[in-house]
Amino acid sequence: MRRKAILLLAAVAALTAAGGGVLHRGAQARQRTDLARRLTGGEPDRAAGPMIAYGCAGCHEIPDLAGPRGRIGPPLRGLAERVYLGGVLPNTPDNLVRWIVDPKAASPRTAMPVTGISEAQARDVAAYLYARR
Ligand code: HEC
């Protein structure tokens, strides 16, 4: 799990360092999306519906999502580069899925509720969030 997180951070750092020089923006975005799919086992293209249906967007500002832009929780842009989730959980793909499904299990006093989102949908959302910066 730790190795995955380091791989993810290293890959993101490499992509960031590549800047506009080596890869075009579109190619960088595609690489990030492929990596996010592999790390999470989720499909980012399926994430928008659940992020609205389960209220994520009502509490969080979510990158590239049309609709509500909540301010109750932290903005979710740049999530791949964050070290901790909710200030308590190391940011790995499995932990992100776990947090999205049941934040109270990791942090009993967190204000983020259990929304009822399924683990499969949480994987899609995790892929979506890791694919963006
Ligand atoms: C009622 C408001 C609310 C809803 C609904 C909600 N969240 Fe949160 N979320 C929060 C708050 C508040 C935090 C900060 C929690 C903490 O630090 O303890 C948070 C934290 C997070 C984090 C960690 C971010 C970080 O930088 O540490 C992620 C990821 C996240 N939420 C994703 C989601 C997703 C995906 C959904 C939908 C399934 C969702 N949230 C629904 C309020 C909400």
Side-chain angles (χ1 to χ4, degrees):
M1 198 177 291
R2 182 163 291 253
R3 228 184 97 233
K4 262 189 174 177
I6 289 166
L7 270 176
L8 174 69
L9 292 171
V12 170
L15 287 172
T16 308
V22 184
L23 292 169
H24 295 292
R25 280 172 71 97
Q28 282 183 32
R30 269 194 303 282
Q31 277 203 0
R32 273 198 308 277
T33 305
D34 286 347
L35 183 62
R37 280 194 182 99
R38 267 181 281 137
L39 288 167
T40 59
E43 173 48 58
D45 292 346
R46 286 194 300 252
M51 286 192 294
I52 291 174
Y54 290 97
C56 320
C59 282
H60 294 281
E61 187 178 325
I62 295 173
D64 309 328
L65 185 74
R69 305 183 79 75
R71 290 273 189 258
I72 294 166
L76 298 183
R77 186 177 286 285
L79 198 74
E81 288 157 67
R82 221 152 300 170
V83 175
Y84 291 104
L85 301 167
V88 293
L89 205 57
N91 182 9
T92 67
D94 287 343
N95 280 349
L96 177 56
V97 171
R98 222 169 277 155
W99 175 273
I100 292 170
V101 171
D102 190 359
K104 307 269 188 210
S107 185
R109 298 188 62 202
T110 184
M112 177 163 156
V114 176
T115 61
I117 194 170
S118 73
E119 190 190 314
Q121 288 168 320
R123 283 194 185 284
D124 296 339
V125 171
Y128 179 101
L129 294 173
Y130 277 155
R132 277 157 183 86
R133 59 167 200 208

